[in-house]
């Protein structure tokens, strides 16, 4: 019996719970997931690289829309939960109630705001989520001075990121040295020196009195009376569990939501997990214990027995560019001895704290490679008497004459923790490798090791090397799927160079291991063949996903949507009448205007498709390809026809482009926009190709995006005439068809090959002419209406026979 | 066994499928690249995806909704805990015959 499980908060802890539930027992729960942020689970540990610009949001997404859809999770993102009703077992969201059988509260933590005057001024922000990160990036783009209050991990990461983006950054820290909870004074000093070397000003023992500004933050006033000018203030002094919903619902709450070892709150049907809980007096901020909690909770929900225990955690800190490690207890005390190694020139500091012949603490700065080995000695309470002479040099120097870089990893015991985020020890990884996970991706998939923050990737690769010996080749590119040994790029190249013109030729010549591929490789190979050999090879519908084979989008209830093409978004009364008639005749439940300037008929039954198409065809309407990896729409504004600002005939150009490009298959969908002036009403600057008309001609931009990623187009070329705008656009689409990997949108492809490469190819007039000619050749086959063709074979859409009738006879 | 003639092999698209309405629900009849014919439930046990709309490869079909892969010989889902019912079919002189005993049984009962 499927139970209703409602989860509040889509963070890393609840994300792991969902993973475990859907992996172990996908049918056990009907899951509804609320998240106040308008997005799902991403790897928050990696927000710092996003802030510093090394990564993008897309790189750190853990669960995307497809993942939630694939696992049947109902997502209510961007919706705050207002109230819990444990009596009625209801969660009240802003947009309505959700009943539950079991509820998980995973609201995480909220930043602590120091109660000083001016704390609510615009320009004062915290650092917790992607929105905060984006706000900082936006502020940094304007430049100026930033003051970060708090010299802990988050504050320093914010400071490093803002400095990287060119702001003038000052860090205010209340205590005597940075990160005093994780580092001793010496390591704190080295860290400070490193950060100062990057132009960050550090003020320790600095207490904030007020934030000053008229309508917006302008400066920070210190207790000492000094004022620091500031265009941005980041408050990063700490976090507290977010417990408001639990408190209001009458659950037992101390500092965090009180839970037992099964993560159950004082209400037996309500559980809590993550940074919002308090267990046995402990609060949790690092990811490793949260994942432990998630595992226990998932097992408990599925009726298993498990109990959460608090373990020692080592901290490997990621202040971008600084290597820090600390574990155990490193405070001075009677009976404690230190072993210290300093190499000032290299900026290396290591300190081991020993008590009664056992290692009790370790702090390292600059070189943290041996951290896990030390951490293991601390956890095991190993007697270090015999190792003491060379202990600080690490495992490489223990009983071995040579310092093999792999010996440190080889020397680790099976219980040694490799991946701190997921709590995966060496033995688990080695077992997985021996069981066939012989490359990094496979180890990640089977054990989750190195799948979160990624700092242990090197260690995992060394383990692969130690375990597999000569059989291990450092990873190169990934093959398309298990059916072959080639990458997408290899297959594209070989199809061209070996003149492979059929699927059978590809399977045979490239040594496919399966009879005729699978759902991953066959659609890609089908596209590569039709793009490179338009006359010799024809698109194979049986190698396309259902939508492209049916020429309609399948909906979750098995019905389809039908979207006729409206060239450039222009229609007329005859077409509208035909659409209205069809909607009535086939009982279409929903008629919707789409974002691409046309009309969507949703809820059409599969067997009605050929008939509704035939009806629409009679009024001159053809397929809008709203389902295809091909040209979708060309969005236009009214241009010079009606608009007093229009500089060119944008509607006319849009219609021409759509009539040239429609029907062509491309690696992924392609959307165009043409705006009649820089006011850009057609939103052309976030399209795959976007043309903005100006007095002097046409600005052609490419590689925009407005989906998972939002990205402005990059200027490909400015041309004076409409004919040239069409030529460049067509040539760009053909270059994309000839070179991109299947399922890469143009912006992904351009990011891989570089806009300069694209521009160089297209700037060559001969090459441009060749591309246009090649596109036209292909279009001589594909510029046809698939609806008209399918409407002629209506019987294929009907069942073969109806045996229920025979049974009745 | 009581064999019923349901269609010609050619009526099913190569590496494709057609459906058959029965008292047990919709049955998908698949035709592989090598002209082998299989019959199995049209409904994916995961989220009810229509398997006749999936990509047919080797002797397997991939569900169009979430890519579960089923072996058409056994009905077992690859790497998942789930399976679909399969039904005996044979091809004779270009005609596809299905064993109706199993399909009609329940409605008669």
């Amino acid at each position: 019996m499927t139970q209703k499980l409602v989860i509040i908060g889509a963070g890393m802890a609840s994300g792991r719970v969902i993973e475990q539930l859907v992996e172990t027992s996908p049918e056990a729960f009907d899951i509804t997931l609320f998240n106040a942020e308008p997005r799902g689970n991403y790897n928050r540990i990696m927000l710092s690289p996003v802030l510093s610009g090394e990564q993008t949001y897309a790189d750190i997404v853990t669960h995307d829309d497809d993942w939630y859809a694939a696992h049947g999770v109902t997502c209510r993102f961007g919706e705050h939960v207002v109230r819990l009703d444990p009596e009625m077992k209801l969660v009240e969201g802003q947009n309505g109630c959700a009943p539950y059988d079991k509820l998980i509260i995973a609201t995480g933590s909220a930043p602590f705001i120091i109660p000083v005057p001016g704390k609510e001024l615009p320009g004062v922000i915290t650092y917790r989520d992607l929105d905060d990160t984006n706000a900082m990036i936006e502020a940094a783009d304007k430049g100026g001075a930033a003051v970060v209050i708090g010299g802990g991990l988050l504050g320093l990461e914010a400071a490093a990121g803002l400095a990287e983006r060119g702001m003038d950054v000052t860090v205010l820290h209340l205590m005597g040295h940075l990160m005093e909870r994780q580092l001793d004074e010496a390591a704190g000093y080295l860290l400070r020196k490193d950060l100062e070397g990057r132009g960050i000003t550090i003020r320790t023992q600095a207490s904030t009195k007020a934030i000053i500004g008229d309508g917006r933050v302008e400066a920070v006033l210190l207790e000492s009376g000094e004022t620091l000018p500031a265009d941005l203030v980041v408050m990063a002094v700490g976090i507290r569990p977010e417990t408001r919903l639990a408190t209001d619902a009458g659950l037992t709450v101390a500092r965090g939501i009180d839970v037992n070892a099964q993560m159950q709150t004082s209400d037996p049907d309500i559980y809590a997990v993550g940074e919002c809980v308090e267990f046995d007096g402990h609060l949790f901020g690092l990811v490793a214990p949260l994942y432990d909690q998630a595992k226990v909770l998932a097992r408990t929900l599925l009726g298993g027995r498990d109990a959460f225990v608090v373990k020692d955690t080592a901290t490997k800190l990621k202040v971008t560019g600084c290597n820090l490690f600390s574990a155990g207890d490193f405070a001075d005390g009677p009976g404690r001895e230190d072993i210290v190694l300093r190499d000032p020139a290299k900026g290396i500091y290591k300190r081991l704290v020993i008590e009664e012949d056992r290692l009790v603490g370790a702090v390292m700065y600059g070189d943290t490679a041996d951290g896990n080995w030390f951490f293991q000695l601390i956890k095991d309470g190993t007697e270090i008497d015999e190792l003491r002479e060379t202990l600080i040099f690490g495992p490489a120097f223990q009983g071995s004459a040579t310092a093999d870089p792999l010996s440190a990893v080889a020397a680790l015991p099976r219980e040694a923790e490799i991946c701190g985020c997921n709590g995966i020890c060496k033995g688990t990884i080695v077992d997985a490798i021996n069981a066939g996970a012989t490359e990094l991706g496979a180890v990640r998939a089977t054990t989750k090791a190195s799948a979160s923050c990624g700092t242990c990737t090197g260690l995992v690769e060394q383990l692969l090397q130690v375990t597999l010996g000569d059989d291990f080749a450092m990873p190169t590119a990934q093959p398309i799927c298990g059916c072959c040994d080639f990458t997408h790029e290899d297959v594209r190249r070989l199809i061209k160079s070996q003149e492979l013109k059929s699927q059978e030729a590809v399977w045979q010549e490239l040594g496919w291991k399966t009879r005729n591929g699978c759902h991953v490789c066959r659609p890609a190979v089908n596209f590569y063949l039709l793009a490179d050999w338009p006359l010799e090879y024809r698109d194979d519908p049986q190698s396309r996903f259902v939508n492209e084979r049916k020429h309609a989008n399948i909906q979750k209830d098995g019905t389809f949507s039908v979207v006729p093409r409206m060239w450039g978004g222009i229609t007329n009364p005859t077409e509208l009448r035909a659409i209205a008639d069809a909607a009535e005749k086939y009982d279409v439940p929903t008629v919707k205007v789409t974002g691409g300037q046309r009309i969507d008929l949703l809820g059409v039954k599969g067997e009605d498709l050929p008939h509704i198409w035939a009806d629409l065809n009679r009024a001159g309407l053809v397929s809008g390809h709203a389902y295809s990896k091909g040209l979708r729409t060309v969005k236009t504004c009214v241009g010079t026809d009606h608009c007093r600002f229009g500089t060119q005939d944008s509607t006319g150009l849009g219609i021409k482009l759509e009539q040239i490009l429609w029907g062509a298959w491309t690696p992924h969908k392609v959307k165009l926009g043409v705006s009649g002036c820089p006011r850009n009403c057609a939103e052309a600057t976030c399209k795959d190709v976007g043309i903005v008309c100006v007095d002097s001609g046409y600005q052609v931009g490419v590689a925009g995006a407005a989906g998972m990623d939002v990205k402005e187009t990059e200027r490909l070329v400015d041309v004076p005439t409409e004919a040239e705008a069409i030529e460049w656009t067509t040539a760009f689409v053909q270059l994309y068809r000839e070179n991109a990997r299947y399922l890469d949108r143009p912006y992904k492809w351009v990011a891989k090959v570089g806009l300069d490469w694209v521009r160089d190819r297209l700037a060559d007039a001969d090459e441009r002419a060749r591309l246009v000619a090649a596109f036209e050749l292909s279009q001589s086959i594909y510029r046809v209406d698939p609806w008209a063709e399918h409407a002629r074979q209506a019987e294929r859409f009907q069942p073969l026979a109806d045996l229920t009738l025979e049974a009745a006879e | 066994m009581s064999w019923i003639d349901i269609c010609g092999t050619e009526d099913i698209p190569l590496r494709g499928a057609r459906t058959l309405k029965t008292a047990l629900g919709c049955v998908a009849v698949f035709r592989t690249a090598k002209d082998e014919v299989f019959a199995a439930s049209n409904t994916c046990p995961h989220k009810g995806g229509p398997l006749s709309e999936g990509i047919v490869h080797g002797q397997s079909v991939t569900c169009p909704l979430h890519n579960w892969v089923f072996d058409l010989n056994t009905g077992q889902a690859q790497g998942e805990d789930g399976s679909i019912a399969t039904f005996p079919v044979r091809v004779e002189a270009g005609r596809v015959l299905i064993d109706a005993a199993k399909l009609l049984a329940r409605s008669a009962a």
Side-chain angles (χ1 to χ4, degrees):
Chain A
M1 165 71 193
T2 305
Q3 289 196 302
K4 284 190 192 308
L5 175 66
V6 174
I7 303 176
I8 306 172
M12 297 178 74
S14 69
R16 181 54 61 91
V17 176
I18 301 173
E19 278 178 13
Q20 304 245 340
L21 289 178
V22 299
E23 270 169 28
T24 323
S25 187
E27 301 304 323
F29 291 102
D30 177 9
I31 301 175
T32 299
L33 180 59
F34 282 91
N35 202 22
E37 278 188 77
R39 58 186 73 84
N41 180 19
Y42 57 92
N43 190 343
R44 268 157 223 272
I45 304 173
M46 301 305 271
L47 279 174
S48 302
V50 172
L51 176 60
S52 63
E54 291 158 53
Q55 297 202 355
T56 65
Y57 170 62
D59 296 326
I60 67 166
V61 171
T62 311
H63 298 150
D64 58 17
D65 291 348
D66 288 345
W67 189 89
Y68 288 115
H71 293 99
V73 176
T74 306
C75 298
R76 292 176 68 167
F77 296 160
E79 182 177 351
H80 286 266
V81 170
V82 186
R83 202 172 65 87
L84 308 181
D85 187 339
E87 291 283 306
M88 300 296 294
K89 292 189 151 192
L90 273 183
V91 170
E92 186 182 332
Q94 285 168 311
N95 303 335
C97 289
Y100 65 84
D101 297 310
K102 302 283 180 197
L103 173 67
I104 299 176
I105 304 177
T107 42
S109 58
F112 186 76
I113 310 280
I114 49 170
V116 293
K119 65 182 185 331
E120 68 294 319
L121 279 173
V124 180
I125 55 181
T126 56
Y127 184 23
R128 277 309 285 161
D129 59 23
L130 183 71
D131 293 331
D132 296 334
T133 310
N134 285 336
M136 276 193 264
I137 292 172
E138 196 183 314
D141 283 345
K142 298 193 195 98
V147 171
V148 177
I149 304 178
L153 181 59
L154 274 180
L156 295 181
E157 298 216 333
L162 291 170
E164 189 76 21
R165 288 186 176 268
M167 287 195 94
D168 188 6
V169 182
T170 304
V171 175
L172 304 180
H173 191 50
L174 197 56
M175 307 305 284
H177 69 265
L178 295 174
M179 293 178 66
E180 76 286 347
R181 281 167 57 199
Q182 294 92 359
L183 297 181
D184 62 9
E185 244 184 297
Y189 164 78
L190 284 171
L191 176 59
R192 174 177 186 153
K193 212 175 98 181
D194 252 1
L195 293 171
E196 284 175 343
R198 294 192 222 173
I200 298 171
T201 309
I202 310 279
R203 308 278 293 252
T204 48
Q205 288 172 312
S207 178
T208 307
K209 189 173 184 185
I211 299 168
I212 307 166
D214 184 9
R216 181 175 173 82
V217 60
E218 287 164 14
V220 173
L221 175 65
L222 301 182
E223 287 287 355
S224 64
E226 197 181 347
T227 352
L228 301 171
D231 302 296
L232 171 73
V233 172
V234 180
M235 202 145 338
V237 289
I239 53 172
R240 54 172 179 74
E242 176 57 73
T243 58
R244 278 174 297 182
L245 284 171
T247 309
D248 293 348
L251 301 179
T252 307
V253 174
R255 284 180 300 162
I257 303 169
D258 197 40
V259 293
N260 63 18
Q262 281 70 45
M263 310 316 294
Q264 197 172 32
T265 68
S266 54
D267 180 316
D269 287 322
I270 304 182
Y271 298 80
V273 70
E275 290 183 331
C276 61
V277 309
E278 177 170 346
F279 171 71
D280 203 13
H282 292 272
L283 297 178
F284 305 90
L286 297 173
V287 74
L290 303 192
Y291 281 172
D292 280 347
Q293 293 177 358
K295 201 174 78 192
V296 171
L297 175 51
R299 200 164 296 172
T300 304
L301 285 170
L302 293 173
R305 292 178 64 83
D306 204 348
F308 174 67
V309 285
V310 179
K311 287 189 211 141
D312 258 354
T313 39
T315 336
K316 201 165 204 173
L317 302 166
K318 291 171 64 71
V319 176
T320 322
C322 306
N323 287 319
L324 308 113
F325 179 92
S326 78
D329 181 358
F330 43 85
D332 289 324
R336 288 195 169 175
E337 298 162 51
D338 285 354
I339 300 176
V340 177
L341 171 83
R342 289 180 203 269
D343 184 342
K346 284 190 177 164
I348 290 175
Y349 167 81
K350 298 183 186 183
R351 173 165 163 245
L352 304 178
V353 184
I354 294 163
E355 191 172 38
E356 292 176 3
D357 267 345
R358 283 175 173 79
L359 191 61
V360 295
V363 184
M364 305 163 78
Y365 190 91
D367 172 10
T368 58
D370 298 332
N372 283 316
W373 187 69
F374 289 127
F375 183 43
Q376 199 64 38
L377 293 180
I378 295 172
K379 279 203 290 195
D380 295 349
T382 311
E383 278 205 36
I384 48 106
D385 197 27
E386 287 183 7
L387 310 173
R388 188 159 172 159
E389 298 278 294
T390 54
L391 185 65
I392 197 142
F393 301 114
F397 285 83
Q398 309 309 320
S400 159
T402 52
D404 178 349
L406 293 177
S407 63
V409 174
L412 290 173
R414 277 181 62 82
E415 301 73 40
E417 188 174 79
I418 300 291
C419 174
C421 293
N422 293 294
I424 310 297
C425 56
K426 178 180 163 182
T428 310
I429 298 173
V430 170
D431 291 346
I433 296 169
N434 288 330
T438 54
E439 44 93 25
L440 185 64
V443 173
R444 277 187 188 153
T446 48
T447 68
K448 292 223 163 23
S450 102
S452 290
C453 82
T455 47
C456 63
T457 302
L459 279 176
V460 174
E461 284 179 344
Q462 285 172 0
L463 271 179
L464 280 160
Q465 223 167 330
V466 168
T467 313
L468 297 173
D470 291 340
D471 292 340
F472 178 69
M474 267 309 208
T476 48
Q478 288 283 322
I480 296 180
C481 63
C483 296
C484 70
D485 294 326
F486 294 103
T487 64
H488 282 272
E489 288 71 19
D490 286 338
V491 170
R492 284 222 82 161
R493 187 171 45 75
L494 290 163
I495 284 176
K496 290 185 178 82
S497 66
Q498 298 195 10
E499 304 199 1
L500 306 177
K501 299 179 184 178
S502 67
Q503 289 190 10
E504 225 31 71
V506 172
W507 312 147
Q508 186 57 40
E509 298 303 323
L510 303 185
W512 238 253
K513 297 169 205 164
T514 47
R515 190 199 280 181
N516 47 20
C518 69
H519 63 274
V520 177
C521 59
R522 211 165 81 206
V525 167
N526 174 56
F527 170 74
Y528 297 152
L529 286 166
L530 78 87
D532 286 331
W533 306 109
L535 299 184
E536 294 88 344
Y537 178 88
R538 291 300 153 84
D539 180 53
D540 170 28
Q542 302 307 135
S543 300
R544 291 216 170 252
F545 294 111
V546 53
N547 291 347
E548 292 173 291
R549 184 160 8 94
K550 281 275 189 181
H551 292 278
N553 279 321
I554 193 165
Q555 309 293 313
K556 65 177 186 185
D557 62 353
T559 65
F560 292 85
S561 81
V562 169
V563 185
R565 199 168 278 287
M566 283 183 181
W567 309 94
I570 296 288
T571 184
N572 59 46
T574 314
E575 289 182 352
L576 290 173
R577 226 171 258 129
I579 291 171
D581 288 345
E584 276 183 351
K585 181 169 167 189
Y586 298 99
D587 283 333
V588 172
T590 307
V591 180
K592 184 181 183 308
V593 175
T594 73
Q597 301 187 333
R598 44 208 197 160
I599 293 174
D600 193 349
L601 304 172
L602 292 135
V604 180
K605 290 186 269 309
E607 53 265 35
D608 283 342
L609 285 173
H611 308 299
I612 193 169
W613 293 338
D615 287 1
L616 293 168
N617 275 166
R618 271 192 286 280
L621 289 158
V622 298
S623 168
H625 292 89
Y627 46 80
S628 84
K629 296 171 185 36
L631 177 77
R632 295 287 179 92
T633 66
V634 182
K635 189 169 179 174
T636 67
C637 66
V638 291
T640 42
D641 275 355
H642 300 277
C643 177
R644 66 203 159 98
F645 297 117
T647 61
Q648 312 281 356
D649 176 15
S650 52
T651 326
L653 173 55
I655 292 171
K656 282 178 196 156
L657 283 169
E658 191 160 350
Q659 288 184 335
I660 289 166
L661 299 173
W662 80 292
W665 295 106
T666 43
H668 207 312
K669 59 188 170 186
V670 172
K671 295 179 178 179
L672 270 63
V674 184
S675 285
C677 78
R679 285 166 195 79
N680 194 12
C681 294
E683 293 157 359
T685 50
C686 61
K687 297 287 189 269
D688 296 298
V689 181
I691 298 177
V692 177
C693 302
V694 290
D695 265 336
S696 59
Y698 303 82
Q699 300 173 339
V700 182
V702 296
M708 221 20 190
D709 294 311
V710 179
K711 182 177 166 295
E712 195 181 340
T713 50
E714 297 175 69
R715 189 75 59 81
L716 180 64
V717 69
D718 289 358
V719 289
T721 66
E722 186 182 87
E724 287 167 290
I726 293 172
E727 184 195 2
W728 277 78
T729 302
T730 311
F732 174 80
V733 171
Q734 178 64 11
L735 194 66
Y736 167 59
R737 296 178 75 234
E738 288 182 5
N739 291 283
R741 166 196 282 229
Y742 188 64
L743 298 186
D744 267 357
R745 287 287 289 269
Y747 77 100
K748 293 234 161 133
W749 167 63
V750 169
K752 285 177 187 169
V753 299
L755 184 65
D756 288 342
W757 181 86
V758 173
R759 197 184 282 125
D760 286 350
R761 290 285 297 265
L762 295 178
D764 177 350
D766 291 341
E767 173 70 353
R768 213 161 57 236
R770 182 196 70 76
L771 287 165
V772 172
F775 185 77
E776 272 308 311
L777 179 70
S778 171
Q779 283 295 73
S780 66
I781 313 286
Y782 293 107
R783 198 182 279 137
V784 289
D785 177 25
W787 287 359
E789 291 186 358
H790 280 69
R792 283 195 286 275
Q793 332 169 7
E795 79 284 355
R796 291 249 153 173
F797 289 77
Q798 311 307 323
L800 282 166
D802 189 343
L803 295 185
T804 54
L805 299 176
E806 302 200 17
E809 279 165 18
Chain B
M1 294 262 175
S2 76
W3 296 100
I4 306 185
D5 180 334
I6 46 172
C7 64
T9 327
E10 302 293 314
D11 295 328
I12 309 169
L14 200 59
R15 289 170 300 145
R18 294 280 296 274
T19 57
L20 190 62
K21 284 192 178 170
T22 79
L24 300 183
C26 229
V27 167
V29 186
F30 300 91
R31 178 182 170 203
T32 71
K34 295 200 170 162
D35 268 344
E36 300 142 322
V37 175
F38 295 94
S41 161
N42 188 39
T43 311
C44 179
H46 175 220
K47 297 279 172 189
L51 296 174
S52 59
E53 306 288 359
I55 289 183
V56 178
H57 48 99
Q59 295 186 327
S60 303
V61 64
T62 299
C63 175
L65 292 194
H66 306 105
N67 293 335
W68 279 33
V69 178
F70 296 89
D71 183 334
L72 294 172
N73 291 293
T74 62
Q76 180 60 45
Q78 205 181 84
E80 306 282 356
D81 184 19
S83 64
I84 47 174
T86 58
F87 304 99
V89 275
R90 60 193 178 111
V91 179
E92 247 172 46
R95 301 297 300 175
V96 178
L97 308 178
I98 192 160
D99 177 18
K102 203 168 162 190
L103 293 173
L104 299 177
R106 189 166 304 176
S107 65

